[in-house]
Amino acid sequence: YEGVFKVSTNMSLLLLCDYNHPLLKRLQLEAPGTYHHSLMVSTLAEHAAQDIGANQIKARVCALFHDIGKLAKPEYFTENNQGESKHDELHPRMSSLVILNHVKEGVDLALKYKLRRIIRDAIEQHHGTDLVFYFYKRAIEESKGSDTTVEEQEYRYPGPRPREKEVVLVSLADSCEAATRALQKPTPAKIESLIWEIFRKRIRDGQLNDADLTF
């Protein structure tokens, strides 16, 4: 019935919470930093879903698989690289392509492993059309004094923007977890301030315009 009507029940989603799933096992071995990040995001999204009456299981499963695309080039993502950054050797545009491509790689893996549609949506939408700000800013700085024009659109994720409640929660939890992990000497006040800034930035940028959520 699920296959015919393209729906996912809590029972089938619960089966995907098994950490022995081949993709999660690969994350553990090949991209341990991303695996830990995904666990943290799943905890945040699950608690958020509980607080607003959304589907906790759906939020947890979507979060566990949202970054599987990083398996293509795990060493180019901060959480997996404790030494020198691989991006130091690359032009900002090339770096941004590697970062942006993890969404497409993730969708391809989800199709290969026949993951549920809601999980594919989470992979595709968790960055919306957000800007890879670090490399965009670096490209602008490096282009000063030259005739090169830096197009903002080239440094944005293709989208679409997140819609379903659970996918929106994964998107927000993903940004908050990554940003707070990078904080120097974190305190509750610093974390709260950072999270509010992330939310305000998402709203200003229109990333929540399609979200099925109210304030």
Side-chain angles (χ1 to χ4, degrees), residues 82-101:
Q82 302 303 319
E84 291 183 6
S85 173
K86 292 279 186 181
H87 295 285
D88 292 343
E89 308 162 5
L90 300 179
H91 185 274
R93 178 62 183 136
M94 189 58 67
S95 290
S96 72
L97 284 174
V98 173
I99 301 299
L100 295 171
N101 201 47

Side-chain angles (χ1 to χ4, degrees), residues 24-43:
L24 297 182
K25 293 292 281 184
R26 280 191 61 191
L27 274 180
Q28 291 172 33
L29 296 172
E30 298 172 37
T34 299
Y35 176 70
H36 182 262
H37 162 71
S38 299
L39 291 180
M40 296 300 100
V41 172
S42 71
T43 300

